[in-house]
Amino acid sequence: MYAQVLSMAEANHVSSAWIIRAAVLQFLEEHQAQLELPLRQPQYKGGETL
């Protein structure tokens, strides 16, 4: 995931922190009305987890 964040940041000429803040903001906006959040770790390619 870290490599993906770095690649995305570089491609868009922003910092990795900017990418992470944008992702957190999107998550909060999508789940603001929920009392229970979907916090289970998603499964990624190759069986890696978060």
Side-chain angles (χ1 to χ4, degrees):
M1 277 188 289
Y2 182 67
Q4 288 177 304
V5 168
L6 290 178
S7 294
M8 188 176 284
E10 185 176 325
N12 289 282
H13 308 288
V14 296
S15 68
S16 57
W18 189 96
I19 298 293
I20 293 167
R21 282 192 301 272
V24 169
L25 179 60
Q26 180 180 353
F27 179 87
L28 292 174
E29 288 174 351
E30 288 177 7
H31 301 288
Q32 68 183 2
Q34 295 176 340
L35 294 177
E36 292 185 30
L37 298 176
L39 297 179
R40 288 190 200 134
Q41 293 184 352
Q43 293 294 317
Y44 292 98
K45 294 178 189 172
E48 283 185 38
T49 57
L50 199 105

